[in-house]
């Protein structure tokens, strides 16, 4: 059966890029697939996290998934560190993946910056843990934003090398990335060439899922644009990264195509368009935000969802990790 695995790091708030690029697509996919959605707290600590904030963020991200419409009864929402198989399989994959493969990962280069000697070993080995997340459940499909494509390719290489090294053709599937929708790469509101990200120091660069209506409107008003009117077709957005990003967000939030969004605002200035975009964003995000607030106000029940999800995830993972250990030749307990 086709099985989905995907994850979000609990490093601060979820932003509009996480929502449009990932979580919103998950909501649609849960009709067709068996799904596991994971708050990847072990990935989060590859960069320093305040322990108290990590706990809070873990609950917030889980609440955001539920508020967005993921059914935690039918599917599994859990936090990674509650299932030991992630770390166990990641270690085995550390021994399967090659240094040369990891050296090519652009996200490590972006995150480690100039001082890579000072980055944690975990940050470097991060893609191996991500491959373990997916393959621990033999997941077949992985819905993510565009920025995770390279990591998915690595997961496929690791699966193939494991199968080949141990002579177990077909043991691990080749997980397929699902990069869906019109907002696969939402850009910063302050720089159309940079991806919207939790680590951007400027709060004005992103819309957080916890921002109130005034803050959303203010951030959209202050978003960088150019001085030309909006074009009639997407072709007219070439070389206009900020305009393209804002229209892309509009199209995604209103469930239309970029063509339709362009046609709707052709010839308008940014003042009018931004007002429409702010109204739309507030209307679409508002209900999710109030449900998130309601859920987070009762941390014990969020914890219970995560605990029960983890228990179900462990039950799926245990026979697979047991088989992996046998394949590798580890003596049984
Ligand atoms: P993370 O926490 O950075 O992001 C979570 C999801 O949001 C997507 N995303 C975006 N999509 C569009 N525009 C953006 N600006 C944007 N920013 C983020 C990401 O592509 C992702 O789908 N390594 C992963 C988490 C992870 C994972 C996994 C994902 C760990 N294990 C296994 C899939 C399968 C990450 O850091 O996502």
């Amino acid at each position: 059966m086709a099985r989905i695995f995907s994850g979000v790091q609990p490093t601060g708030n979820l932003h509009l890029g996480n929502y449009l690029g990932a979580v919103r697509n998950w909501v649609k996919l849960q009709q067709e697939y068996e799904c596991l959605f994971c708050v990847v707290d072990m990935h989060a600590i590859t960069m320093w996290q305040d322990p108290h904030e990590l706990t809070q963020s873990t609950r917030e991200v889980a609440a955001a998934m539920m508020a967005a419409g993921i059914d935690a009864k039918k599917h599994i929402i859990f936090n990674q560190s509650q299932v030991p198989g992630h770390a166990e399989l990641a270690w085995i994959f550390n021994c399967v993946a090659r240094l040369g493969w990891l050296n090519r990962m652009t996200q490590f280069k972006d995150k480690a910056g100039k001082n890579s000697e000072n980055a944690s070993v975990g940050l470097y080995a991060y893609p191996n843990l991500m491959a373990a997340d997916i393959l621990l459940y033999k997941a077949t499909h992985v819905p993510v934003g565009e920025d995770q494509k390279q990591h998915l390719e690595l997961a496929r290489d690791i699966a193939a090398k494991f199968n080949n090294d141990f002579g177990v053709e077909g043991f691990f599937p080749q997980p397929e990335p699902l990069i869906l929708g019109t907002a696969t790469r939402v850009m910063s509101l302050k720089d159309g060439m940079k991806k919207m990200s939790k680590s951007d120091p400027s709060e004005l660069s992103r819309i957080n899922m916890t921002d109130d209506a005034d803050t959303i409107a203010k951030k959209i008003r202050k978003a960088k644009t150019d001085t030309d009117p909006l074009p009639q077709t997407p072709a007219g957005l070439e070389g206009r990264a900020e305009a393209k990003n804002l229209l892309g967000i509009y199209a995604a939030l209103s469930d239309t195509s970029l063509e339709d969004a362009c046609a709707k605002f052709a010839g308008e200035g940014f003042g009018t368009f931004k007002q429409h975009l702010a109204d739309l964003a507030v209307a679409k995000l508002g209900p999710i935000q109030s449900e998130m607030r309601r859920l987070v106000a009762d941390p014990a029940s969020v914890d219970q969802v995560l605990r029960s999800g983890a228990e179900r995830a462990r039950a799926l993972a245990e026979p697979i990790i047991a088989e992996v250990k046998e394949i590798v030749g580890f003596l049984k307990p």
Side-chain angles (χ1 to χ4, degrees):
M1 165 160 182
R3 181 179 280 173
I4 275 187
F5 183 97
S6 200
V8 185
Q9 294 195 61
T11 45
N13 283 317
L14 227 69
H15 56 68
L16 189 66
N18 300 132
Y19 177 62
L20 293 179
V23 179
R24 199 174 70 139
N25 297 324
W26 302 354
V27 176
K28 295 180 186 155
L29 292 164
Q30 65 181 340
Q31 314 304 335
E32 289 165 55
Y33 294 86
E34 175 195 10
C35 303
L36 293 108
F37 297 120
C38 188
V39 187
V40 290
D41 46 9
M42 288 160 62
H43 277 94
I45 62 161
T46 55
M47 312 269 279
W48 167 253
Q49 303 299 321
D50 173 87
H52 177 71
E53 282 172 21
L54 180 65
T55 311
Q56 294 305 332
S57 291
T58 300
R59 291 188 180 118
E60 260 180 37
V61 170
M65 290 180 185
M66 288 185 270
I70 289 162
D71 182 345
K73 288 208 169 70
K74 200 160 156 221
H75 300 282
I76 295 179
I77 296 181
F78 72 110
N79 62 308
Q80 188 182 26
S81 61
Q82 288 202 55
V83 181
H86 290 260
E88 291 181 294
L89 189 57
W91 180 259
I92 293 169
F93 286 172
N94 281 345
C95 305
V96 172
R98 306 289 93 183
L99 278 180
W101 298 2
L102 289 176
N103 285 339
R104 287 197 286 275
M105 296 295 114
T106 55
Q107 187 166 297
F108 174 76
K109 291 178 196 156
D110 291 346
K111 287 200 172 177
K114 289 198 179 68
N115 193 6
S116 64
E117 291 283 305
N118 201 32
S120 74
V121 176
L123 186 67
Y124 187 73
Y126 176 119
N128 295 343
L129 176 58
M130 181 162 159
D133 298 340
I134 299 163
L135 295 169
L136 181 61
Y137 305 96
K138 296 192 177 177
T140 51
H141 295 81
V142 186
V144 283
E146 231 168 73
D147 61 336
Q148 296 301 316
K149 206 169 155 199
Q150 194 185 35
H151 289 158
L152 253 296
E153 277 157 16
L154 187 88
R156 292 165 64 91
D157 289 345
I158 290 175
K161 188 166 190 300
F162 180 95
N163 291 348
N164 185 59
D165 287 357
F166 292 100
V168 285
E169 222 35 63
F171 178 76
F172 282 126
Q174 285 277 290
E176 289 284 339
L178 295 177
I179 299 174
L180 304 169
T182 46
T184 56
R185 191 172 171 80
V186 177
M187 308 309 276
S188 156
L189 299 181
K190 284 283 147 199
D191 178 352
M193 304 304 279
K194 254 171 57 185
K195 142 185 121 161
M196 184 178 284
S197 148
K198 290 173 213 175
S199 51
D200 194 312
S202 166
E203 269 295 317
L204 289 175
S205 70
R206 65 183 158 264
I207 293 175
N208 293 316
M209 292 304 284
T210 46
D211 286 344
D212 61 24
D214 287 348
T215 310
I216 293 176
K218 184 179 95 186
K219 287 180 176 175
I220 291 175
R221 229 176 16 251
K222 294 199 168 212
K224 185 175 169 200
T225 51
D226 52 44
T227 49
D228 291 345
L230 289 163
Q232 223 148 27
T233 63
L237 291 169
E238 279 320 305
R240 301 177 66 186
E242 285 80 18
K244 187 172 179 187
N245 186 40
L246 292 179
L247 273 162
I249 293 173
Y250 186 95
L253 282 173
S254 58
D255 260 317
T256 53
S257 61
L258 196 55
E259 283 78 8
D260 286 350
C262 285
K264 187 171 161 87
F265 294 104
E268 295 280 7
F270 279 99
T272 315
F273 168 70
K274 280 179 166 180
Q275 188 57 51
H276 278 90
L277 178 59
D279 292 347
L280 177 67
V282 168
K284 292 285 177 176
L285 303 181
I288 302 174
Q289 295 173 322
S290 50
E291 178 60 5
M292 253 177 92
R293 278 193 294 276
R294 191 186 70 78
L295 291 165
V296 173
D298 183 4
S301 66
V302 177
D303 294 2
Q304 183 47 40
V305 168
L306 291 171
R307 208 173 300 123
S308 134
E311 204 176 302
R312 287 147 63 207
R314 277 197 299 272
L316 294 176
E318 270 161 15
I320 297 175
I321 190 75
E323 209 179 335
V324 169
K325 287 180 181 174
E326 198 175 324
I327 289 169
V328 172
F330 291 164
L331 196 69
K332 276 194 195 145

